[in-house]
Amino acid sequence: MKIISLNDTPKNKVNMTGAVGASKQVPLSKNDGAPVYSYRVFTMEPGGNTPYHQHNYEHMNYVIEGDGFLVNEEGEQLRIKKGDFALVLPNEKHQYRNGSDVNQFVMICGVPKEFE
C-alpha cells in the first residue's frame, strides 16, 4: 500500500513541443508497484495547455480544479469542468486547454503503467 499527498509529489514542467504553462506530477506509477495504471496530475496555468498530440494508448481523465477545453481531432473545443470525466481513446488527437485567465486547470490522468 501507498498513500501520498499531491503536495508531496514533485512537479515538473511539461517539456513537449506545443505545451504552454503545463506541469506534471506522478503520485502513483509502476515505480510504486502499480500493476496496471499510472496516475498523473497535470496542472495548466491560466492560458496554458498541453500539446496537441496523439499516442497509441487510452487515457482517462478527471478534472479536480478549474474549467477548460478538450480539443478533439476536428479541432472542436469541448467544454470540460471540475467534476467531469473524459476518455481519450488510442490514437485520438487531443489537447487540454485552460479556459481561465485567472485560475489553474488541474486534472488527473490515468494511463497504462507502461506509458509513464
Side-chain angles (χ1 to χ4, degrees), residues 11-14 19-25 42-50 65 67-68 96-107:
K11 187 183 266 191
N12 299 300
K13 179 181 176 183
V14 175
V20 176
S23 59
K24 178 175 83 168
Q25 295 167 278
F42 287 92
T43 300
M44 280 145 279
E45 298 302 324
N49 58 262
T50 63
E65 183 180 332
D67 67 277
Y96 283 92
R97 292 183 178 195
N98 188 338
S100 173
D101 293 332
V102 179
N103 299 312
Q104 291 183 330
F105 177 77
V106 184
M107 67 175 191

Coordinates of all heavy atoms in Angstrom, one line a residue, residues 11-14 19-25 42-50 65 67-68 96-107:
K11 N 6.7 18.3 -8.9 CA 6.0 18.9 -10.0 C 7.1 19.3 -11.1 O 8.0 20.1 -10.7 CB 5.2 20.1 -9.6 CG 4.3 20.7 -10.7 CD 3.6 22.0 -10.2 CE 2.2 21.6 -9.7 NZ 1.4 22.8 -9.4
N12 N 6.9 18.8 -12.3 CA 7.9 19.1 -13.4 C 7.2 19.7 -14.5 O 6.1 19.3 -14.9 CB 8.5 17.8 -13.8 CG 9.3 17.1 -12.7 OD1 10.2 17.7 -12.1 ND2 8.9 15.9 -12.3
K13 N 7.9 20.6 -15.2 CA 7.4 21.3 -16.4 C 7.2 20.3 -17.5 O 8.0 19.4 -17.7 CB 8.3 22.4 -16.8 CG 7.9 23.1 -18.1 CD 9.0 24.2 -18.4 CE 8.6 24.8 -19.8 NZ 9.6 25.8 -20.2
V14 N 6.1 20.4 -18.3 CA 5.9 19.5 -19.4 C 6.8 20.1 -20.5 O 6.6 21.2 -21.0 CB 4.4 19.4 -19.8 CG1 4.3 18.6 -21.1 CG2 3.6 18.9 -18.7
A19 N 3.5 22.5 -25.6 CA 3.0 22.7 -24.2 C 3.3 24.1 -23.8 O 4.4 24.6 -24.0 CB 3.6 21.7 -23.3
V20 N 2.3 24.7 -23.1 CA 2.4 26.1 -22.6 C 1.9 26.1 -21.2 O 0.8 25.7 -20.9 CB 1.7 27.1 -23.4 CG1 1.7 28.5 -22.8 CG2 2.1 27.1 -24.9
G21 N 2.8 26.5 -20.2 CA 2.3 26.6 -18.8 C 1.7 25.4 -18.2 O 0.8 25.4 -17.4
A22 N 2.3 24.2 -18.6 CA 1.8 22.9 -18.1 C 2.8 22.2 -17.3 O 4.0 22.2 -17.6 CB 1.3 22.0 -19.3
S23 N 2.4 21.6 -16.2 CA 3.3 20.8 -15.4 C 2.6 19.5 -15.1 O 1.4 19.3 -15.2 CB 3.6 21.6 -14.1 OG 2.5 21.8 -13.3
K24 N 3.5 18.5 -14.7 CA 3.0 17.1 -14.4 C 3.6 16.6 -13.1 O 4.8 16.8 -12.8 CB 3.5 16.2 -15.6 CG 3.1 14.8 -15.4 CD 3.4 13.9 -16.6 CE 4.9 13.5 -16.6 NZ 5.2 12.5 -17.6
Q25 N 2.7 15.9 -12.4 CA 3.1 15.2 -11.2 C 2.7 13.7 -11.4 O 1.7 13.5 -12.0 CB 2.4 15.8 -9.9 CG 2.8 17.2 -9.6 CD 1.9 17.9 -8.6 OE1 0.9 18.3 -9.0 NE2 2.3 17.8 -7.4
F42 N -1.9 16.7 -14.1 CA -1.5 17.8 -14.9 C -2.1 19.1 -14.5 O -3.3 19.2 -14.2 CB -1.9 17.6 -16.4 CG -1.0 16.6 -17.1 CD1 -1.5 15.2 -17.1 CD2 0.2 16.9 -17.7 CE1 -0.7 14.3 -17.7 CE2 1.0 15.9 -18.3 CZ 0.5 14.6 -18.3
T43 N -1.3 20.2 -14.3 CA -1.7 21.5 -14.0 C -1.4 22.4 -15.1 O -0.3 22.5 -15.6 CB -1.0 22.0 -12.7 OG1 -1.3 21.1 -11.6 CG2 -1.5 23.4 -12.3
M44 N -2.4 23.2 -15.6 CA -2.2 24.2 -16.6 C -2.5 25.5 -16.0 O -3.6 25.8 -15.4 CB -3.1 23.9 -17.8 CG -2.6 22.9 -18.7 SD -3.8 21.8 -19.5 CE -4.2 20.7 -18.1
E45 N -1.5 26.4 -16.0 CA -1.6 27.7 -15.5 C -2.6 28.5 -16.4 O -2.9 28.1 -17.5 CB -0.3 28.4 -15.5 CG 0.8 27.8 -14.6 CD 0.3 27.7 -13.2 OE1 -0.4 28.6 -12.7 OE2 0.6 26.7 -12.5
P46 N -3.1 29.7 -16.0 CA -4.0 30.5 -16.8 C -3.4 30.6 -18.2 O -2.2 31.0 -18.3 CB -4.1 31.8 -16.1 CG -3.9 31.4 -14.6 CD -2.9 30.3 -14.7
G47 N -4.2 30.4 -19.2 CA -3.7 30.5 -20.6 C -2.9 29.3 -21.1 O -2.4 29.2 -22.2
G48 N -2.7 28.3 -20.2 CA -1.8 27.1 -20.5 C -2.6 26.0 -21.2 O -3.8 26.0 -21.3
N49 N -1.8 25.1 -21.8 CA -2.3 24.0 -22.5 C -1.3 22.8 -22.6 O -0.1 23.1 -22.5 CB -2.8 24.3 -23.9 CG -1.7 24.9 -24.8 OD1 -1.6 26.2 -24.9 ND2 -0.9 24.1 -25.4
T50 N -1.8 21.6 -22.8 CA -1.0 20.5 -23.2 C -0.7 20.6 -24.7 O -1.3 21.3 -25.4 CB -1.6 19.2 -22.8 OG1 -2.8 19.0 -23.6 CG2 -2.0 19.1 -21.4
E65 N -9.9 20.6 -10.6 CA -10.0 22.0 -10.3 C -10.1 22.8 -11.6 O -9.4 22.5 -12.6 CB -8.7 22.5 -9.6 CG -8.6 23.9 -9.2 CD -7.3 24.2 -8.5 OE1 -6.7 23.4 -7.8 OE2 -6.9 25.4 -8.6
D67 N -11.8 24.9 -15.0 CA -12.5 24.5 -16.2 C -11.7 24.9 -17.4 O -10.8 25.7 -17.4 CB -13.9 25.2 -16.3 CG -13.9 26.7 -16.5 OD1 -13.7 27.4 -15.5 OD2 -14.0 27.1 -17.6
G68 N -12.0 24.1 -18.5 CA -11.2 24.3 -19.7 C -11.8 23.7 -20.9 O -13.1 23.5 -21.0
Y96 N -5.6 19.5 -24.1 CA -6.3 20.2 -23.0 C -5.9 21.6 -22.9 O -4.7 21.9 -23.0 CB -6.1 19.4 -21.7 CG -6.9 18.1 -21.5 CD1 -6.3 16.9 -21.9 CD2 -8.2 18.2 -21.1 CE1 -7.0 15.8 -21.8 CE2 -8.9 17.0 -21.0 CZ -8.3 15.8 -21.4 OH -9.1 14.6 -21.3
R97 N -6.9 22.5 -22.7 CA -6.6 23.9 -22.6 C -7.3 24.5 -21.4 O -8.4 24.2 -21.1 CB -7.1 24.7 -23.8 CG -6.4 24.4 -25.1 CD -6.9 25.2 -26.2 NE -6.2 24.9 -27.4 CZ -6.2 25.7 -28.5 NH1 -6.9 26.8 -28.5 NH2 -5.5 25.4 -29.5
N98 N -6.6 25.3 -20.7 CA -7.2 26.0 -19.5 C -8.1 27.1 -20.1 O -7.8 27.8 -21.0 CB -6.1 26.7 -18.7 CG -6.6 27.3 -17.4 OD1 -7.8 27.6 -17.3 ND2 -5.8 27.5 -16.4
G99 N -9.4 27.2 -19.6 CA -10.3 28.1 -20.0 C -10.4 29.4 -19.3 O -11.2 30.2 -19.5
S100 N -9.4 29.6 -18.3 CA -9.4 30.8 -17.5 C -8.2 31.6 -17.7 O -7.1 31.1 -17.9 CB -9.5 30.3 -16.0 OG -9.4 31.4 -15.1
D101 N -8.3 32.9 -17.5 CA -7.2 33.8 -17.5 C -6.7 34.0 -16.1 O -5.7 34.8 -15.9 CB -7.6 35.2 -18.1 CG -7.9 35.0 -19.6 OD1 -7.3 34.1 -20.3 OD2 -8.7 35.9 -20.1
V102 N -7.4 33.4 -15.1 CA -7.0 33.7 -13.7 C -6.7 32.4 -12.9 O -5.8 32.4 -12.1 CB -8.2 34.4 -13.0 CG1 -8.0 34.7 -11.5 CG2 -8.6 35.7 -13.7
N103 N -7.5 31.3 -13.1 CA -7.4 30.1 -12.3 C -6.7 29.0 -13.0 O -6.6 28.9 -14.2 CB -8.8 29.6 -11.9 CG -9.6 30.7 -11.1 OD1 -9.1 31.2 -10.2 ND2 -10.8 30.9 -11.5
Q104 N -6.1 28.1 -12.2 CA -5.5 26.9 -12.7 C -6.5 25.9 -13.2 O -7.7 25.9 -12.7 CB -4.6 26.2 -11.7 CG -3.4 27.0 -11.2 CD -2.6 26.2 -10.2 OE1 -3.1 25.4 -9.4 NE2 -1.3 26.4 -10.2
F105 N -6.1 25.0 -14.1 CA -6.9 23.9 -14.5 C -6.1 22.7 -14.2 O -4.9 22.5 -14.6 CB -7.1 23.9 -16.1 CG -7.9 22.8 -16.6 CD1 -9.2 22.7 -16.5 CD2 -7.2 21.8 -17.3 CE1 -9.9 21.6 -17.0 CE2 -7.9 20.7 -17.9 CZ -9.3 20.6 -17.7
V106 N -6.7 21.8 -13.3 CA -5.9 20.6 -12.8 C -6.7 19.3 -13.1 O -7.9 19.3 -12.8 CB -5.7 20.8 -11.3 CG1 -4.8 19.6 -10.8 CG2 -5.0 22.1 -11.0
M107 N -6.1 18.3 -13.6 CA -6.8 17.1 -13.9 C -5.9 15.9 -13.6 O -4.7 15.9 -13.7 CB -7.2 17.0 -15.4 CG -6.1 17.0 -16.3 SD -6.7 16.8 -18.0 CE -5.2 16.4 -18.8

